[in-house]
Amino acid sequence: MSVAEGNQPAGRGNSTDSLRRHNLAVVLELVHHAGGISRSQLTRATGLNRSTVAALVGELVERRLVLEVDSDVRAQVGRPSPIVKPGPLAVVIAINPEIDAVTIAVVGLGGEVIKRIRYATDHEPTAREAVNICAAVIDGMRAELEAGHRVVGVGLAVPGLVRSLDGVVRLAPHLGWVDEPVAAMLAAATGYPVVAGNDARLGTLAESTFGAGRDLSDFIYLNGGASGIGGGVIAGGSTLAGAAGYAGEFGHTLVNSAGVVCHCGGVGCLETEVRRAPLLELVGLTDADSDELESALLASSSAVVLTEVHRQLDFLAVALRNAINTLNPQTILLGGFLGSLYAVAPAHLNALVAHQPLRASREGVTIGRAALGANLLMIGAAELAFASVLTDPATF
């Protein structure tokens, strides 16, 4: 990454100040994505000279967005370069409403999940109920937050179609939400700015930034949660969003023409055949996150459990065949309970995907696990809310 020097004349239409702000954003994004990077590495990555990088880091330290620590001199030859790490001041509140719980987390720069609370519900929460739960939990954390942090905003990961322009949830079928202005409702209830997006697309963003997809230019991410299955696509290094931000609804891929009616009105959708609920029931759980469900599935020796896992993987393979033939990815990354299914019988799914798609399309395609576990959607929602600071750190 190369940017213009902050102490050189600005290009046409730019001021020295706008160039400085741009360079601040470049440096902060590098630190944020790396979690820790030496000043000498920043100099090489940006193409700026050492004094300019030192000045930019100094300003970010002053704004408490980053901090500098001494490097491990034992691992270096020559003069050690200070390590620049994300600072602890700026945080985002990340939220994920589901049919059986609302999860609220505090996330710092660098994708660090500082605190996570899962508030279980005994029914699908309405939009107003979800907002009230979030507002109450946030109020309970407010003193703690204000003592050591500054909240940038709220990021909301919704299992449904979210209009990116204003955060209106056009349709979250499992929750029963239709045209709900959830972002505006939550902003009014908490006093923080709120941005919202589809949960699986935000999971894709998190994996591409901090997880298993960070070095991949073309991959598909599929997430399985209590509210169904969604996904996202990174194509040529960029997120495939669609005209209104609704791309990636892999859960509504047709996999069984003789199947049952889905919440969306279609028949035989992937998420009618591949579901978390029967897996929980078979291992004797009523409420669990993806990590807990996976542990229970792996610990089970029941033939009935394995049969159900194979059945669901058979239908997942049909959806993956369609995705591979259409999008030609390098890798398929599975998150949520889909990753748990794959962990139980990886060879079963690998064999299906090795033969079902077109030969040319499937060559070289690998299947992998999302790396961020139960924190994935929290990190993705936070990334959405951190965008304003990462784009212009001078506003913080």
Side-chain angles (χ1 to χ4, degrees):
M1 182 184 301
S2 179
V3 293
E5 290 289 354
N7 55 1
Q8 293 179 348
R12 182 181 300 174
N14 292 321
S15 66
T16 301
D17 180 63
S18 65
L19 185 57
R20 176 188 63 82
R21 294 167 80 115
H22 169 75
N23 288 345
L24 275 176
V26 170
V27 171
L28 180 60
E29 186 173 14
L30 286 167
V31 175
H32 171 60
H33 289 173
I37 184 171
S38 71
R39 214 195 285 173
S40 61
Q41 288 174 312
L42 285 172
T43 300
R44 288 193 296 271
T46 61
L48 298 169
N49 64 43
R50 287 184 295 175
S51 61
T52 300
V53 169
L56 293 168
V57 170
E59 181 172 346
L60 292 172
V61 169
E62 185 177 339
R63 294 180 183 278
R64 298 176 66 189
L65 286 168
V66 305
L67 50 86
E68 283 192 292
V69 298
D70 292 334
S71 61
D72 185 355
V73 296
R74 297 170 298 177
Q76 297 191 17
V77 176
R79 184 178 179 182
S81 178
I83 302 298
V84 186
K85 302 178 66 175
L89 180 63
V91 297
V92 156
I93 297 170
I95 295 169
N96 173 224
E98 282 277 15
I99 62 172
D100 57 355
V102 179
T103 304
I104 302 104
V106 179
V107 184
L109 286 167
E112 180 191 5
V113 177
I114 299 167
K115 184 173 188 174
R116 181 162 62 98
I117 297 170
R118 189 172 187 272
Y119 187 99
T121 60
D122 58 6
H123 62 280
E124 296 89 346
T126 65
R128 173 52 62 187
E129 287 171 339
V131 167
N132 290 343
I133 289 169
C134 293
V137 172
I138 291 169
D139 280 344
M141 297 190 296
R142 202 175 290 265
E144 178 184 349
L145 287 170
E146 292 175 352
H149 305 286
R150 178 176 163 192
V151 177
V152 172
V154 175
L156 182 62
V158 181
L161 302 178
V162 182
R163 191 163 61 202
S164 54
L165 177 66
D166 54 10
V168 170
V169 178
R170 297 302 311 278
L171 176 66
H174 293 272
L175 290 169
W177 298 1
V178 179
D179 289 329
E180 292 283 3
V182 182
M185 293 163 61
L186 196 54
T190 64
Y192 295 126
V194 179
V195 285
N198 171 263
D199 60 348
R201 276 196 61 218
L202 293 178
T204 308
L205 177 62
E207 279 297 321
S208 66
T209 305
F210 299 104
R214 66 188 307 163
D215 296 320
L216 299 175
S217 61
D218 293 85
F219 73 88
I220 297 170
Y221 166 72
L222 272 77
N223 179 71
S227 296
I229 296 171
V233 179
I234 299 294
S238 300
T239 302
L240 182 64
Y246 303 149
E249 287 295 327
F250 292 103
H252 299 286
T253 301
L254 174 63
V255 297
N256 184 4
S257 58
V260 300
V261 177
C262 178
H263 282 77
C264 72
V267 173
C269 291
L270 175 64
E271 63 181 43
T272 65
E273 300 290 351
V274 179
R275 298 169 53 237
R276 191 186 72 141
L279 299 171
L280 287 171
E281 183 177 352
L282 286 173
V283 295
L285 294 173
T286 57
D287 180 41
D289 64 23
S290 58
D291 294 342
E292 293 166 335
L293 173 59
E294 181 170 327
S295 296
L297 287 172
L298 289 172
S300 174
S301 58
S302 167
V304 176
V305 169
L306 185 60
T307 298
E308 175 62 14
V309 167
H310 282 176
R311 187 194 71 80
Q312 294 202 20
L313 288 175
D314 289 344
F315 284 112
L316 178 59
V318 176
L320 295 185
R321 177 189 69 194
N322 295 334
I324 290 169
N325 287 340
T326 303
L327 297 165
N328 187 212
Q330 296 167 280
T331 298
I332 305 286
L333 294 177
L334 301 175
F337 81 85
L338 298 183
S340 303
L341 283 172
Y342 184 60
V344 176
H348 186 82
L349 184 60
N350 287 341
L352 294 171
V353 172
H355 295 95
Q356 291 187 2
L358 292 168
R359 180 176 178 180
S361 298
R362 71 176 184 256
E363 287 178 348
V365 176
T366 59
I367 301 176
R369 298 287 306 279
L372 301 178
N375 286 329
L376 184 141
L377 296 183
M378 299 295 98
I379 294 171
E383 196 71 359
L384 191 65
F386 270 130
S388 61
V389 171
L390 292 171
T391 302
D392 190 3
T395 62
F396 186 78

